Structure formats: C-alpha cells, structure tokens
Amino acid sequence: QVQAVESGGGLVQPGGSLRLSCAASGSIFSISAMGWYRQVPGKEREFIAAHTINDNTYYAASVQGRFTISRDNAKMTLYLHMNNLKPEDTAVYYCNNLGTYDTGVFYPKGSWGQGTQVTVSS
C-alpha cells in the first residue's frame, strides 16, 4: 500500500543534528499513520516516532525531546529531525506506514526498505 525510500543518513558528531527523509509512494499515504524505526545488528527494530492522520505525534522515551517527526502530504514525504545526537543513536533508520493496537501503540504494516545509516561518533 505504501512503499518508501529512506535517505539523509550519514556520519555526525555527538551533539550534532541530522534530518532524515522518507519518500513514499501510494495513494493512501495521506490517510495513513507513518513512523520511523531503527535497528542495530543483532537487535530487533526499535520504534522511534509516529505521526498520525490527526497530526498527533508519539515518541520513544529514548528520543523524546531530541527528535521531531513531521510529514508533507503534498510531497508524500516523511521527515525525522534529529537533534543532540548520541552515540547510542547509531543505527539503520527505517520508515513505514503504521497500524495501531491502541491509542499511541503502533505496529509496522508495510514492507521494509533498505533504510539509511546514521553513525554518531567523535
């Protein structure tokens, strides 16, 4: 239903900022909740942030106050603005459309893309 390509990752120093983009395709983008996940080798994907069709946002405790999720329906693009980056933020970041178990509780519905690598190191 929604296919996405992530971009914007790279190498950044601790305390730095980075903006990730998720270029989506599919007519349901504007009526679908969208979110970001991240994954490091050997670990499961971790939920990072969600943006609902009602313009509500939700964040994992580990990134709350540092990351901001937003979307542009006209451009069919999802963004993740990351500030005050920490070494533990190093991971491959993925976007996906979301379903919900309950208010503020989400699960990924689409296929996973290649993601974009974010490396935070001094």
Side-chain angles (χ1 to χ4, degrees):
Q1 294 179 323
V2 176
Q3 301 295 318
V5 177
E6 302 90 345
S7 64
L11 176 64
V12 64
Q13 296 184 187
S17 299
L18 208 59
R19 190 257 267 167
L20 306 184
S21 297
C22 171
S25 62
S27 61
I28 67 169
F29 177 84
S30 63
I31 58 173
S32 298
M34 298 290 295
W36 288 94
Y37 290 74
R38 67 187 181 189
Q39 185 175 34
V40 299
K43 299 182 66 177
E44 295 183 5
R45 282 186 177 88
E46 173 190 15
F47 168 80
I48 297 301
H51 187 285
T52 74
I53 58 175
N54 296 316
D55 292 322
N56 294 132
T57 57
Y58 300 86
Y59 299 92
S62 59
V63 306
Q64 190 168 267
R66 299 189 298 118
F67 291 10
T68 301
I69 187 172
S70 62
R71 70 196 292 167
D72 186 326
N73 288 331
K75 296 181 179 179
M76 297 184 68
T77 302
L78 183 74
Y79 302 99
L80 184 68
H81 290 81
M82 307 184 294
N83 299 309
N84 191 25
L85 284 161
K86 305 174 183 294
E88 51 263 44
D89 293 319
T90 296
V92 176
Y93 285 71
Y94 303 87
C95 64
N96 213 319
N97 58 313
L98 306 174
T100 180
Y101 295 122
D102 201 348
T103 301
V105 184
F106 306 94
Y107 65 91
K109 296 183 65 177
S111 299
W112 297 108
Q114 295 297 309
T116 184
Q117 175 71 232
V118 171
T119 302
V120 184
S121 176
S122 60

